[in-house]
Amino acid sequence: MDQPTPKTAAAAPTVKAPSRFRALVRGNEVGLVLVAAVVGAIAGLLVTGIGWLAQALHVVLFGLGHGERLSGLTALVSPWSALLPAAGGALLGLSVLVLSRRKARALVDPIEANALHGGRMSMRDSGIVVLQNLVSNGFGASVGLEAAYTQISSGIASRIGIAFEMRRSDLRTLVGCGAAAAIAAAFNAPLTGAFYAFELIIGTYSIVTLAPVVAAALCGTFVARFLVGDAFLIDVGDPGIVSTLDYPPAIALAILAAGLGILVMQGVTAIERGVRRSGLPMALRPVVGGLVLGGLALGTPQVLSSGHGALHLQLDLPTEISALLLLLVLKALASAVSIGSGFRGGLFFASLFMGALLGKLVSDLAPLVFSSSALTPVVFAIVGMSSLAVTIIGGPMTMTFLALEMTGDFPITALVLASVVTASLTARKTFGYSFATWRFHLRGESIRSAHDIGWIRNLTVGRMMRTDVRTTTFDTSLKTFRRDFPLGSAQRVVVLDEAGAYAGIVLVADAYSDAITDPEAKVEGLLRWSDAVLLPQMSAREAAALFDTAESEALAVVDRLETRTVVGLLTESHTLRRYAEELELRRREAYGETR
């Protein structure tokens, strides 16, 4: 069932596709695959363009030479460059100030859009995220561009889907196609992009979603390869071989990575709380964060940006244990400060870089405990990258396929799979969230994944209630009540007080009880559930819980608790039936039975 556009999604007029094309896409799975391929191609163009703009900012602002990466510098070209993150923070703070004065709503990302809004996203929101992410990364904040990539690609996919008037399930799938193509193009890894969509954006894998998501991921990859070449974003060289004896140190590393990932996420939260308690205006928070980042960059520029150049530098060169540990701490601090002070961006690549540092650090210490292991530092780095990324980002299969596409080595992929499962399980049992869902939790949202729960919130009491409510006043006598409501005419009657507000419910059968001997008695003495009422905005789940608590088969619906004006009546049986019907509809959509 198609759902109305929520207030949090863009409600601006949209251009509708011609009716014949809408019918093709809505009624034919091939049509959806073709649209997904177009979305993938557009995403490949956007990812390439955004990446080029960010690198151009680095070249202009930080004075990089040809082929240099910001985080690959051994020292800043000028000490004054340390002030650039603060300058970027000032621009970002200005944008925050403008948005706050316009009372802009909270920005909706692809996970939230698919979980709560049926895949509906705002192009305005997406544009804001791209600009803020570009400013943050371009001026050196320790964040990646993945947020911009997935936001704009999924946003365009959403608007295309709305133009085709897609069903809710198809629109959610198309949003996932946008994200899949974005990640695939960014990492030159179509399998990674596809499973990123399945695990993190769509929230499930099914045969119906396979073809469009894979088509989008492949098209995004092909376009990016055509524009910038087919070199893999992370070149690990020759990683070496893996044996059975190498699993224990890899599992130990995965557990350490899970712990580090949890510390990073909690560190971001701690810095955010500290900044809020400091009383700093929101517009100045990124400036202060930028000054801290600049100070860290004076020590080592490898803490800046997402870490592409630094990752290749650390994979290629041997490094002392003390230097690795210091860089790991500084990078974790830089990432936490960047996000916590208000810079916009993702932690995908930053988590890969920190995981590689942790892996190389463990590779130097592992022989002291696991003398039989022959893993190379590069394999330890790959395991660390995957394990830390799965803790912060989520998606065990996503990180497994990333390792496969980086190395092309199945034994290493099996080792990574065991490691990411261990890290994911450890984080889930000790912390319970990825970075995105942890942020939702702090906002008071109950989102644990992109699995569609928006339909539950849309199935409200106001949509399910009946409005033809039979009422009487609480000073009505039983004689009059029996005359107005004979047996069989109704099961229950809502009673109103002298001000017309809800007073309770009288069961018609109670009014005809043989235990009542005074026919002039008032119905006031038969009132039930005087304190239990429903509100129109309550969800079916909340209504079912209230039915259970009140031990009632029906409850009155009032406009609000202050006035208690009766607007409807809802029964428990109807609520459960409607919930079951919607649940069955979602199951059928997942298997493609509604097309």
Side-chain angles (χ1 to χ4, degrees):
M1 183 175 70
D2 296 331
Q3 301 292 349
T5 305
K7 292 182 180 179
T8 51
T14 56
V15 177
K16 299 297 182 183
S19 58
R20 68 176 67 179
F21 293 113
R22 294 203 304 269
L24 173 65
V25 173
R26 286 176 59 88
N28 191 328
E29 187 176 352
V30 175
L32 177 59
V33 173
L34 293 175
V35 173
V38 173
V39 166
I42 295 173
L45 288 170
L46 291 170
V47 168
T48 304
I50 293 171
W52 182 87
L53 285 174
Q55 179 63 14
L57 282 172
H58 293 163
V59 170
V60 172
L61 296 174
F62 291 91
L64 302 185
H66 178 71
E68 285 187 322
R69 291 276 192 171
L70 177 57
S71 61
L73 297 177
T74 55
L76 293 175
V77 175
S78 168
W80 293 105
S81 299
L83 295 177
L84 287 172
L91 290 176
L92 198 61
L94 182 62
S95 72
V96 171
L97 188 62
V98 171
L99 291 174
S100 64
R101 288 183 175 178
R102 293 184 178 180
K103 297 181 179 179
R105 60 181 177 270
L107 303 180
V108 175
D109 69 6
I111 296 177
E112 184 177 358
N114 266 7
L116 299 181
H117 308 310
R120 291 180 176 268
M121 296 178 65
S122 163
M123 283 306 300
R124 171 187 168 277
D125 288 359
S126 300
I128 291 172
V129 169
V130 170
L131 289 176
Q132 290 183 339
N133 198 177
L134 264 175
V135 169
S136 300
N137 182 277
F139 280 79
S142 185
V143 293
L145 292 168
E146 298 82 22
Y149 295 156
T150 56
Q151 183 78 29
I152 191 64
S153 300
S154 295
I156 287 179
S158 177
R159 303 318 293 175
I160 291 175
I162 292 172
F164 280 98
E165 296 183 348
M166 286 185 172
R167 298 177 180 85
R168 182 188 183 98
S169 59
D170 290 343
L171 184 58
R172 294 180 70 254
T173 297
L174 199 61
V175 168
C177 291
I183 295 299
F187 288 89
N188 190 21
L191 289 175
T192 301
F195 276 86
Y196 180 92
F198 292 136
E199 294 185 301
L200 302 176
I201 307 300
I202 301 174
T204 185
Y205 164 83
S206 69
I207 297 299
V208 176
T209 59
L210 177 62
V213 169
V214 170
L218 288 173
C219 287
T221 305
F222 294 156
V223 169
R225 287 177 180 175
F226 176 77
L227 294 173
V228 297
D230 61 355
F232 201 86
L233 185 64
I234 306 171
D235 183 9
V236 298
D238 182 13
I241 59 174
V242 173
S243 69
T244 306
L245 297 176
D246 296 323
Y247 277 77
I251 298 298
L253 172 56
I255 295 173
L256 289 175
L260 176 60
I262 293 170
L263 286 177
V264 170
M265 290 186 281
Q266 291 182 327
V268 171
T269 304
I271 290 174
E272 283 183 332
R273 288 173 178 167
V275 170
R276 282 198 301 267
R277 291 172 183 171
S278 69
L280 274 174
M282 287 190 65
L284 292 180
R285 294 173 187 176
V287 178
V288 175
L291 291 173
V292 174
L293 285 172
L296 297 175
L298 287 174
T300 171
Q302 293 185 34
V303 302
L304 297 177
S305 189
S306 57
H308 291 81
L311 176 58
H312 289 289
L313 194 65
Q314 292 301 327
L315 285 175
D316 293 338
L317 299 176
T319 310
E320 295 291 334
I321 292 179
S322 58
L324 283 172
L325 182 59
L326 178 61
L327 180 56
L328 177 59
V329 172
L330 292 179
K331 182 61 178 179
L333 179 60
S335 297
V337 168
S338 297
I339 301 294
S341 62
F343 284 98
R344 174 78 64 175
L347 290 178
F348 195 138
F349 206 95
S351 65
L352 293 176
F353 176 40
M354 288 186 285
L357 292 175
L358 179 64
K360 288 194 68 175
L361 186 63
V362 171
S363 73
D364 289 333
L365 302 175
L368 302 177
V369 180
F370 303 98
S371 57
S372 57
S373 175
L375 286 181
T376 65
V378 172
V379 175
F380 271 107
I382 294 170
V383 171
M385 290 163 57
S386 305
S387 300
L388 185 57
V390 81
T391 302
I392 295 178
I393 306 302
M397 294 307 298
T398 301
M399 302 310 163
T400 301
F401 278 110
L402 179 60
L404 175 61
E405 291 180 297
M406 278 193 300
T407 64
D409 189 298
F410 283 96
I412 290 177
T413 302
L415 181 69
V416 168
L417 177 60
S419 302
V420 297
V421 168
T422 301
S424 179
L425 181 63
T426 302
R428 192 166 64 249
K429 293 302 181 182
T430 58
F431 188 62
Y433 301 91
S434 66
F435 183 66
T437 55
W438 173 238
R439 308 279 283 179
F440 292 138
H441 169 72
L442 294 176
R443 281 170 37 191
E445 292 283 2
S446 57
I447 304 174
R448 290 299 186 97
S449 72
H451 185 73
D452 190 7
I453 62 171
W455 67 269
I456 299 176
R457 299 190 182 187
N458 290 338
L459 190 63
T460 61
V461 168
R463 295 182 61 186
M464 295 185 294
M465 69 182 185
R466 56 182 299 179
T467 57
D468 55 334
V469 184
R470 307 195 69 175
T471 63
T472 189
T473 57
F474 77 102
D475 59 352
T476 301
S477 66
L478 284 175
K479 180 179 178 181
T480 302
F481 185 90
R482 289 170 177 172
R483 184 197 66 201
D484 294 341
F485 304 101
L487 279 172
S489 63
Q491 287 185 310
R492 57 191 65 84
V493 177
V494 174
V495 180
L496 309 178
D497 62 18
E498 67 275 3
Y502 174 76
I505 294 176
V506 170
L507 297 179
V508 174
D510 288 350
Y512 286 86
S513 172
D514 294 336
I516 300 176
T517 57
D518 182 9
E520 296 301 324
K522 307 297 183 183
V523 297
E524 182 180 4
L526 300 178
L527 291 180
R528 299 193 186 195
W529 306 295
S530 298
D531 297 326
V533 292
L534 297 169
L535 298 173
Q537 64 270 26
M538 284 183 173
S539 68
R541 181 176 292 174
E542 293 171 323
L546 191 56
F547 281 124
D548 188 57
T549 301
E551 298 180 351
S552 170
E553 295 180 359
L555 290 173
V557 184
V558 300
D559 59 346
R560 56 183 190 272
L561 295 177
E562 293 78 15
T563 59
R564 294 170 69 89
T565 300
V566 176
V567 295
L569 185 77
L570 183 63
T571 63
E572 183 180 28
S573 60
H574 181 68
T575 302
L576 296 178
R577 183 170 65 253
R578 287 289 295 112
Y579 184 86
E581 288 172 353
E582 289 290 327
L583 193 63
E584 173 62 14
L585 180 60
R586 304 307 157 201
R587 185 199 67 79
R588 292 173 60 199
E589 286 177 344
Y591 288 97
E593 297 175 7
T594 58
R595 187 173 290 281

